[in-house]
Amino acid sequence: MRAVILISGNGSNLQSLIDNARKIDLKICSVISNKEDAFGLKRAERASIRTHFVDPNLYESREGFDKQLITMIDELDISLIILAGYMRILSSEFINHFAGKILNIHPSLLPKFPGLNTHRKAIDAKEKYHGATVHFVTEELDGGPIISQEIVEIDFIDTEYSLSQKVLKKEHILYPRVIHWYTQNRLKLLNTECITLDGKIL
Ligand code: GRF
């Protein structure tokens, strides 16, 4: 299945998708970043994937920037948009244009800890467990229907950094697994609250 991946940074999730692409029937047509120095762009280039940096400073509004993304992505004729550490809020227009086709991975056990600094928040809240979530993207930030999660235990010696590494390791297994379901047409977003896997409501 043809897909585009949006990134803003290191791109370790992108790397796991590059490494698993053949196995999960994923054709990464392009990697787009809103940050020129995102290391993920280098990872994509190394894998001979087309890359684009779209400079937010050239657009007056979020809507203007996202319109440019919509035009670029429409030209690619893809069936899936994968957010992999993409640190910009998407406009309603973008989300509605690609409704049911956008997946995101978030470093917490949603609905706990949406937004930023999730590892810090989990430690401060003295949680026993933490993890990562893959969900469909809807207009509610980090609030779209949850598809699947991976859990890690928080040890008393864990720091924000050690916890982030533990969670990332799980993310690299979780995201390819869920994307494979999607590329096999097993996953569907019915409405903003409801998804099915193999026709059964999750
Ligand atoms: C991951 O923790 C992901 O859950 C979040 O941003 C981080 C991206 O990491 N959305 P990387 O760029 O894939 O290494």
Side-chain angles (χ1 to χ4, degrees):
M1 178 181 282
R2 292 171 64 82
V4 62
I5 303 188
L6 305 190
I7 60 160
S8 300
N10 181 33
S12 68
N13 277 287
L14 164 68
Q15 189 67 54
S16 85
L17 295 175
I18 291 172
D19 296 343
N20 285 288
R22 196 188 290 259
K23 223 166 50 196
I24 63 174
D25 195 21
L26 184 71
K27 164 97 181 107
I28 306 169
C29 299
S30 176
V31 170
I32 302 176
S33 173
N34 64 321
K35 298 273 185 206
E36 193 166 18
D37 60 354
F39 184 63
L41 290 174
K42 297 231 161 47
R43 296 180 190 268
E45 279 160 20
R46 246 190 253 146
S48 304
I49 297 167
R50 260 205 295 172
T51 60
H52 300 274
F53 158 58
V54 186
D55 187 351
N57 295 318
L58 300 179
Y59 302 86
E60 270 178 15
S61 62
R62 180 177 310 286
E63 286 67 31
F65 178 87
D66 278 6
K67 267 206 180 100
Q68 172 61 23
L69 285 194
I70 291 173
T71 308
M72 289 172 66
I73 294 173
D74 275 346
E75 276 169 12
L76 293 169
D77 188 26
I78 51 89
S79 305
L80 174 62
I81 296 171
I82 299 167
L83 308 184
Y86 183 64
M87 302 302 284
R88 258 180 87 88
I89 293 173
L90 292 165
S91 62
S92 308
E93 193 187 341
F94 186 97
I95 291 168
N96 292 325
H97 188 83
F98 297 112
K101 291 184 178 171
I102 315 172
L103 297 180
N104 183 41
I105 190 158
H106 181 80
S108 80
L109 294 173
L110 287 171
K112 276 190 180 163
F113 314 125
L116 299 173
N117 306 318
T118 57
H119 309 304
R120 178 79 269 145
K121 286 175 189 163
I123 291 172
D124 289 349
K126 304 205 170 7
E127 295 286 332
K128 269 189 85 170
Y129 301 100
H130 186 45
T133 303
V134 175
H135 63 95
F136 275 105
V137 173
T138 59
E139 289 198 53
E140 195 189 332
L141 185 65
D142 298 328
I146 291 171
I147 304 166
S148 189
Q149 298 183 310
E150 280 287 334
I151 297 175
V152 301
E153 245 178 86
I154 303 183
D155 298 319
F156 72 97
I157 47 162
D158 266 322
T159 60
E160 209 174 330
Y161 178 74
S162 69
L163 191 54
S164 74
Q165 295 309 299
K166 271 201 225 172
V167 172
L168 271 176
K169 227 167 144 186
K170 293 282 188 177
E171 290 186 28
H172 301 157
I173 299 163
L174 174 65
Y175 220 4
R177 184 175 77 217
V178 173
I179 288 169
H180 196 201
W181 293 343
Y182 192 94
T183 63
Q184 303 306 105
N185 292 314
R186 295 175 59 191
L187 262 182
K188 294 273 177 273
L189 177 69
L190 295 188
N191 57 49
T192 53
E193 267 148 42
C194 189
I195 45 186
T196 57
L197 177 63
D198 297 333
K200 291 195 191 81
I201 290 176
L202 281 183

